[in-house]
Amino acid sequence: MNKEKELIDKLIDLAFAEDIGDGDHTTLSCIPATAMGKSKLLIKEAGVLAGIEVAKEIFNRFDPTMKVEVFINDGAEVKPGDVAMVVEGKVQSLLQTERLMLNVMQRMSGIATMTRKYAKKLEGTHTRVLDTRKTTPGMRILEKMAVKIGGGVNHRIGLFDMILLKDNHVDFAGGIDKAITRAKEYCKEKGKDLKIEIEVRNFDELQQVLDLGGVDRIMFDNFTPEMTKKAVEMVAGKYETESSGGITFDTLRDYAECGVDFISVGALTHSVKGLDMSFKAC
């Protein structure tokens, strides 16, 4: 959790640095330092709200005297006309924090909205939707928070918290057996308790993994639903299973009904439209 806070703090500092630079000269030139006011976060599009807690941190880091009154919390479904929060304080502070808060909340809410749509499509199955590392550089922690708020599950945060042997790792290592064996030896040597997942491209590779063992999860890469059903039967519950590659919203349910544990979807984060909202004086 401390790592998450550290990354969020750095993101906020960088975002203010790139936006404000040596000063918001528009605001400083026409708004007195003593002027006080209120602004409301107005929702303009239906979706799932996410980012309220981060927004509070943005306001607090910029000006701890700002007061935030929250009316709608993260994870709630919102509609046009809803007021999610009202912020009171120095007008200069309201104007200087507006864009960063909106950028974060619109992006996070867009991701939460998309994730909720996918999660609802999976209702009635035991399959969960996973995010990926296809995130905006520097914003990964916030985007993965938004996935959880929307009802999804986080895959690994980065390259440090899980071993995921993908096709390139397998090919460069010289095969399935060498990749898995080296990964296990590495964890033992370094004293690391990391889950090991391996990607397989066909039934031959899957059988090699099943024969060798020593992994926690097997990912079926670009399998059809028919192939996935057979693969799940071959694994027979011995390991967690995950489907990835070429899966769309329309085919999501087909894969879930094969009995796979997880489906990873890059679209949750890599090309999401922000949820429309504005920060208006009130």
Side-chain angles (χ1 to χ4, degrees), residues 27 81 204 264:
T27 295
D204 176 53
S264 50

Side-chain angles (χ1 to χ4, degrees), residues 25-43:
H25 303 303
T26 310
T27 295
L28 297 175
S29 68
C30 65
I31 305 295
T34 54
M36 304 296 285
K38 284 184 186 180
S39 290
K40 63 183 178 183
L41 182 64
L42 181 65
I43 305 302

Side-chain angles (χ1 to χ4, degrees), residues 25-236:
H25 303 303
T26 310
T27 295
L28 297 175
S29 68
C30 65
I31 305 295
T34 54
M36 304 296 285
K38 284 184 186 180
S39 290
K40 63 183 178 183
L41 182 64
L42 181 65
I43 305 302
K44 299 167 78 175
E45 183 180 4
V48 176
L49 192 70
I52 285 286
E53 294 305 312
V54 182
K56 284 160 67 176
E57 185 61 26
I58 289 169
F59 294 130
N60 183 61
R61 278 179 71 77
F62 188 82
D63 179 355
T65 67
M66 298 174 85
K67 296 186 179 74
V68 182
E69 188 175 4
V70 175
F71 300 109
I72 305 174
N73 289 305
D74 286 339
E77 297 194 0
V78 291
K79 62 187 185 305
D82 284 348
V83 174
M85 65 181 166
V86 170
V87 186
E88 186 175 359
K90 295 174 185 171
V91 175
Q92 285 189 352
S93 296
L94 292 171
L95 291 168
Q96 290 177 95
T97 53
E98 173 185 339
R99 178 46 53 199
L100 174 54
M101 179 277 293
L102 283 173
N103 283 350
V104 166
M105 288 216 55
Q106 287 182 292
R107 179 80 182 155
M108 288 184 69
S109 297
I111 290 168
T113 300
M114 176 72 83
T115 305
R116 182 71 54 87
K117 181 182 170 189
Y118 275 76
K120 281 187 174 176
K121 181 93 167 182
L122 294 174
E123 281 179 358
T125 73
H126 84 279
T127 308
R128 306 293 301 278
V129 65
L130 289 175
D131 53 25
T132 69
R133 285 169 51 241
K134 295 174 183 175
T135 55
T136 310
M139 284 194 69
R140 180 173 297 168
I141 292 296
L142 301 188
E143 294 183 350
K144 283 182 172 276
M145 283 171 60
V147 166
K148 286 180 80 171
I149 289 168
V153 177
N154 292 153
H155 207 299
R156 56 183 179 162
I157 299 297
L159 297 172
F160 57 88
D161 59 333
M162 185 181 191
I163 288 180
L164 175 44
L165 301 165
K166 302 196 83 173
D167 52 357
N168 280 338
H169 298 98
V170 169
D171 291 343
F172 280 128
I176 295 274
D177 55 344
K178 287 180 181 172
I180 293 175
T181 301
R182 287 176 186 170
K184 288 168 68 180
E185 287 172 352
Y186 176 88
C187 288
K188 189 175 179 183
E189 180 189 320
K190 301 291 184 183
K192 293 206 170 283
D193 182 22
L194 296 172
K195 282 196 167 186
I196 297 175
E197 177 173 6
I198 188 160
E199 179 181 276
V200 297
R201 293 165 281 193
N202 50 54
F203 292 116
D204 176 53
E205 288 189 346
L206 174 56
Q207 192 59 57
Q208 288 180 57
V209 174
L210 295 174
D211 290 343
L212 187 65
V215 299
D216 298 284
R217 186 184 300 172
I218 302 172
M219 179 195 291
F220 312 132
D221 181 46
N222 284 302
F223 279 35
T224 64
E226 293 73 28
M227 292 168 70
T228 303
K229 189 172 189 302
K230 181 183 173 184
V232 169
E233 288 169 359
M234 287 173 68
V235 174

